[in-house]
Each structure stands twice: as structure tokens, then as C-alpha cells.
Amino acid sequence: MEQNHLSDTRFESLGLHESLITGLQEAGFERCTPIQAAALPIALKGRDVAGQAQTGTGKSAAFLLACMHRLMTHPVAAEKVGPWAIVLAPTRELALQIHKDAERLGWFTGMDFACIYGGTGYESQRKALERGTDILIGTPGRIIDFYKQRVFSLDNIEVCILDEADRMFDMGFIADIRYLLRRMPPPEERLNMLFSATLSERVRELAYEHMNDPESVQIESDTITADRVRQKLYHVENNQKIGLLLGVLRQQEPTRTLIFVNTKRDADKVTGYLLGNDIKAAVISGDIPQNKREQLLARFQAGELPILVATDVAARGLHIPEVSHVINYDLPQDAEDYVHRIGRTARAGATGDAISFACESYVYSLPDIEQYIDQKIPSEMAPPELIAEDIKPAARMDNRRSSGGGGSRSRSGGNGGRRSSGGGRGNGSQRGDQS
């Protein structure tokens, strides 16, 4: 892993709580990424932050460290109960990734983290909230569901974090976000952080409406896309796309590949052809049951499943290490989605390849994409020798989807955190010494 994506700022120089320093050391992190180096000193002083940086640059660690430091250094009265902080994310996958990062970085704090999202686990999530939690991480819909049932309260929220706020708008969550924000203590009584890959005007309006004079932090780059992504585009006829895909996979020999399509129907079609031609692959899309999606992601992250065919449900927020290739089988119809798709590779200082197909159906998106990223994508007509001709029929998809192993479980048992029932947050400063 390359290290030149890091700044010169060391975590131990920031005055973080000692339990967090221990967690960082155990995770192998010594120096901050640029967004962490810029945002953490502001948030650690109790100032609100609206941060923008390219995807894969460590935004989640920035807001999690600031959040946990705040809670560990601000005791509360014994009669109060959590949650003390809330992290809102647009997708289940992103919420799960943030929860995983929180457990890793916060292992020595003694805090409890609950991950709440739709699609599965209703009763187990309800029980986790009823036991009490320190930091609530999840998607707006399921959180509002439990809130309206009075399973938990927002009265004592001290830290509020919005991740991928622009995506919240895109997915129609903004009314839900405002519903939750208005039921927390006022902005001046809490630490507020908003992070996103893009900060549009509507996101800035949300920030200034529900935050306390946030300081803007933007990590600029020469290009809007990740600097270490090697981009390539092939112009191809619709009826040759499958052959081109097989040819590219045989030529490139990728180790871990995400293939993006625009529709669920095409996801099944592409996966069927891959399986029919002896290439191990699986579909991840919005209608796959949540537990199945978690299993597939776990297998993909572990290297057991080399290829995932995805709709845009997987384009944002996932940190999957060592993705060597992203293939846009379909050009996205939204230019921003192109940036987020190819941002799945070349993360945290690595390099990667993004290969796109421009066919008759979606080539019309290309001018908008190139205007948005302010660069021309190197392109050519698909070489005939690259288009595979020995294509076997597609496999049937109804019973072929992979079932993989389960994902990781939360370590917390329910009474080891900073809740009042465990002695209150007044004991928080001692948690870092108990590991």
C-alpha cells in the first residue's frame, strides 16, 4: 500500500483520547489523510465541520474519531441515558461500513455501537436499542420507525453526523433527515459534522440551517476523480458488449472487480453470462435480501468472490480494499455516479483501473460525464480482437446467486459502554486503560 496519500500530521499530535490512540495504533494508523488532518483539529475544538473530499480518503475515520473523543471527554449526569451520538447514512451498506470502522477505532473506549437499517434484523435491532447504546449508526427510515415507537430518545444527542448528504437528497431522504434533526437538542448544544464527496448548494443550505456556523473543509485535487485511477473507454455496439466484457476480463486478469450496470435486469443478464462462461460472479442490487447482500460483500472483501455485478446501490460509501478494476458495463446516466463508481478502486493511496463501455443506449451520457470531471476519458473503438467470440450461453439466474459466509457481528454485549446504567459517562476517561 502506498503511503504518499497521507499528510505529515500524526494522530498522536492531535490530543485525541488515549483509548482512541490505542485503537489507531492497533489498526496500524499513524498519520492522517488530508481530510482528517484538516477536519479533526476543528472538530476536536468543538467546532462544527462541513467537509468535502474525494471518496476513499478517510472521511468516516475523521468524524468517528472526533465524535468518540467528544463523548469520552465530556461526562454526563448518571440519570441520563443514550444514545449520545447519531450517524446518518443513505444506504445500509454504508451504515454497516461505518459501524465496522467505529468498532475497530473505538474498541478500547468501552462504548457500544448500534447499527440500525432496513431490510432485515428488525427484532435484533430493536433489542439493541432497548438495551441502550452510546452511538447510533443507521439509515433514516428504520431509525424513525423505532423513534416513533419510543424505543429510544434523541433528547441527549451531543454529536450529530450526516455522511454522504448529497446522496441523502438524491435518494429522497431529506424530509426524514429534517424530522430527526428537529427532535434533537438545538445545533448550538451539540457537535455537528457533515461529510460528503460533493457539497452542492442544497447541501450547504442544509448545513447552515441545522448546524452551528460550520467551518468548511475542502480537500482539492487536480481532478474530481481519484488521481490514481487509470481511465479507459471503449465505444462498442450493444450486441457486442458481452463479448467485450469477457475479452476485457480475460485480458486484464483482474483480482477483484466491480461491474456496474444501470438496471437489475442487465445485472442478471451479465451475471448469467459470466457464470455460463465459467467466471465466478454474483449480483448485488436493491432487491437482494439484506443478509444475502452482507454475505456477498463479506465474500468479496475476503477475496472468495472475484466479481460483483452491481447496480448503483453499491456505488457509494463502501470501502472494499484492493478492488483492482471497476467496469462500467453501462455508462451511468448521472455524471456524479461515474465519479462514485470509479471511486471504488484506487482507494487509500492504491492504484486501479476504470474501464467503461459506451454503447448506443448510454453513449449520450458521455459528454455530461466528461464535462463534470473536466477531462476527456481516453477512448477508442473496441478492438475486434478484444471482443470474445467463443461465448457460451448464459446460465439461468433464478437459483444461481451465491450464498456466502456471514459478516462480522458486533462485539458489544450491552453493558460495557458509557451508558448511565453502567456508571455513566463520568467513567469514560478510564475506559482506555481497561483493555
Side-chain angles (χ1 to χ4, degrees), residues 97-110:
Q97 183 62 52
I98 295 169
H99 182 259
K100 181 179 178 181
D101 291 342
E103 289 199 313
R104 187 182 188 189
L105 296 173
W107 184 262
F108 298 97
T109 65

Side-chain angles (χ1 to χ4, degrees), residues 286-416:
D287 65 348
I288 302 296
Q290 181 63 24
N291 59 345
K292 186 75 155 296
R293 287 160 68 178
E294 292 174 27
Q295 292 170 358
L296 291 174
L297 284 171
R299 293 184 60 207
F300 187 65
Q301 291 174 325
E304 299 172 7
L305 183 65
I307 295 175
L308 279 182
V309 182
T311 54
D312 281 307
V313 69
R316 293 224 186 185
L318 295 180
H319 176 63
I320 301 172
E322 299 176 7
V323 172
S324 65
H325 290 70
V326 169
I327 298 177
N328 286 307
Y329 181 85
D330 298 328
L331 278 179
Q333 295 172 294
D334 187 318
E336 286 189 28
D337 285 336
Y338 177 82
V339 174
H340 291 293
R341 286 182 181 187
I342 72 171
R344 298 310 97 202
T345 188
R347 297 175 73 85
T351 58
D353 291 276
I355 300 171
S356 300
F357 298 172
C359 62
E360 296 102 317
S361 299
Y362 298 111
V363 70
Y364 305 104
S365 301
L366 183 57
D368 289 341
I369 291 171
E370 292 184 328
Q371 181 180 7
Y372 183 75
I373 66 175
D374 195 27
Q375 60 178 296
K376 295 286 291 184
I377 302 172
S379 63
E380 63 177 283
M381 294 299 299
E385 63 273 15
L386 192 58
I387 301 173
E389 295 182 356
D390 55 333
I391 303 174
K392 300 176 185 177
R396 288 178 59 86
M397 285 300 299
D398 34 331
N399 294 314
R400 293 298 302 272
R401 293 203 182 101
S402 303
S403 62
S408 61
R409 294 179 55 194
S410 169
R411 68 169 178 89
S412 40
N415 55 12

Side-chain angles (χ1 to χ4, degrees), residues 242 246 250 272-279 390-395:
I242 289 294
L246 294 175
R250 291 168 183 172
Y273 271 106
L274 293 176
L275 294 172
N277 287 269
D278 303 317
I279 298 174
D390 55 333
I391 303 174
K392 300 176 185 177

Side-chain angles (χ1 to χ4, degrees), residues 153-393:
S153 169
L154 294 171
D155 292 349
N156 295 322
I157 293 294
E158 300 175 34
V159 183
C160 176
I161 299 163
L162 301 182
D163 195 19
E164 297 285 9
D166 53 344
R167 189 63 163 173
M168 300 279 196
F169 276 98
D170 295 341
M171 298 179 70
F173 286 145
I174 202 60
D176 290 343
I177 296 297
R178 287 197 165 102
Y179 175 89
L180 292 168
L181 290 172
R182 289 167 180 161
R183 282 151 182 82
M184 300 176 197
E188 58 271 17
E189 295 181 14
R190 60 179 198 250
L191 174 64
N192 305 282
M193 290 176 278
L194 180 152
F195 283 81
S196 180
T198 56
L199 287 178
S200 62
E201 284 303 315
R202 58 184 182 175
V203 172
R204 293 181 185 275
E205 289 176 7
L206 177 70
Y208 284 100
E209 179 183 355
H210 294 284
M211 298 174 74
N212 183 29
D213 191 21
E215 186 164 340
S216 179
V217 174
Q218 295 181 268
I219 303 302
E220 301 292 347
S221 173
D222 293 336
T223 58
I224 195 169
T225 54
D227 297 326
R228 296 177 178 83
V229 179
R230 295 179 290 263
Q231 299 178 70
K232 180 74 175 178
L233 182 140
Y234 292 113
H235 292 276
V236 62
E237 297 178 13
N238 281 348
N239 60 5
Q240 294 183 319
K241 287 174 73 176
I242 289 294
L244 179 60
L245 177 62
L246 294 175
V248 166
L249 291 174
R250 291 168 183 172
Q251 179 199 65
Q252 297 280 327
E253 297 184 350
T255 56
R256 189 173 298 169
T257 304
L258 279 169
I259 300 174
F260 284 104
V261 296
N262 288 347
T263 68
K264 175 63 173 59
R265 180 178 179 181
D266 280 338
D268 284 339
K269 172 187 172 183
V270 169
T271 306
Y273 271 106
L274 293 176
L275 294 172
N277 287 269
D278 303 317
I279 298 174
K280 197 173 181 180
V283 174
I284 181 168
S285 62
D287 65 348
I288 302 296
Q290 181 63 24
N291 59 345
K292 186 75 155 296
R293 287 160 68 178
E294 292 174 27
Q295 292 170 358
L296 291 174
L297 284 171
R299 293 184 60 207
F300 187 65
Q301 291 174 325
E304 299 172 7
L305 183 65
I307 295 175
L308 279 182
V309 182
T311 54
D312 281 307
V313 69
R316 293 224 186 185
L318 295 180
H319 176 63
I320 301 172
E322 299 176 7
V323 172
S324 65
H325 290 70
V326 169
I327 298 177
N328 286 307
Y329 181 85
D330 298 328
L331 278 179
Q333 295 172 294
D334 187 318
E336 286 189 28
D337 285 336
Y338 177 82
V339 174
H340 291 293
R341 286 182 181 187
I342 72 171
R344 298 310 97 202
T345 188
R347 297 175 73 85
T351 58
D353 291 276
I355 300 171
S356 300
F357 298 172
C359 62
E360 296 102 317
S361 299
Y362 298 111
V363 70
Y364 305 104
S365 301
L366 183 57
D368 289 341
I369 291 171
E370 292 184 328
Q371 181 180 7
Y372 183 75
I373 66 175
D374 195 27
Q375 60 178 296
K376 295 286 291 184
I377 302 172
S379 63
E380 63 177 283
M381 294 299 299
E385 63 273 15
L386 192 58
I387 301 173
E389 295 182 356
D390 55 333
I391 303 174
K392 300 176 185 177

Side-chain angles (χ1 to χ4, degrees), residues 79-86 129-130 132-136 143-144 146-159 180 183-185:
E79 66 271 13
K80 287 191 175 183
V81 295
W84 318 105
I86 185 169
L129 290 174
E130 288 174 341
T133 190
D134 296 311
I135 299 178
L136 174 58
I143 287 176
I144 289 176
F146 287 131
Y147 176 78
K148 289 183 175 179
Q149 296 180 52
R150 299 184 179 181
V151 179
F152 70 97
S153 169
L154 294 171
D155 292 349
N156 295 322
I157 293 294
E158 300 175 34
V159 183
L180 292 168
R183 282 151 182 82
M184 300 176 197

